[in-house]
Amino acid sequence: MSSTAKLRACLRCHFAQTAAEFHAKGCPNCQDMLDMQGSQERVADFTTSNFDGLICMLRPEESWVAKWQRIEKRMVGLYAVKVVGRLPETQD
């Protein structure tokens, strides 16, 4: 099993990390809105393991790929190119 098989992607911003990292730290881009930190249920609701491709963004302000994917204003890290799934209607 590859290490990418253990990753999950945020359904809102596509940030990718392990479920344990989402549980421990939340999503660096969406923490204020989705509040996943400390909640396995919210991590399961707001992330997916069903995604295609990964982008490693190191210098968003200089990256044409980041601009093309519209992630140039987000945190440095891994991003899924395409995610499958939708955020739940209510996020309370």
Side-chain angles (χ1 to χ4, degrees):
M1 179 185 281
S2 74
S3 60
T4 59
K6 297 177 184 176
L7 294 179
R8 296 186 66 82
C10 176
L11 288 169
R12 184 175 174 276
C13 74
H14 300 195
F15 190 83
Q17 60 185 359
T18 66
E21 290 170 313
F22 277 115
H23 184 264
K25 301 181 276 189
C27 177
N29 297 303
C30 306
Q31 187 56 25
D32 291 343
M33 288 189 272
L34 301 182
D35 194 27
M36 289 185 257
Q37 188 174 1
S39 173
Q40 291 179 347
E41 183 177 333
R42 292 180 77 83
V43 170
D45 287 346
F46 301 142
T47 67
T48 181
S49 60
N50 193 356
F51 62 85
D52 292 321
L54 285 171
I55 295 169
C56 181
M57 184 171 65
L58 300 176
R59 289 187 226 133
E61 65 283 348
E62 298 175 23
S63 171
W64 69 267
V65 175
K67 288 178 181 66
W68 175 60
Q69 289 291 309
R70 297 185 182 119
I71 59 173
E72 71 271 14
K73 302 224 186 291
R74 299 206 177 132
M75 301 298 283
V76 169
L78 284 177
Y79 288 84
V81 175
K82 179 182 175 187
V83 299
V84 178
R86 292 187 138 172
L87 284 170
E89 292 293 322
T90 60
Q91 296 161 16
D92 303 324

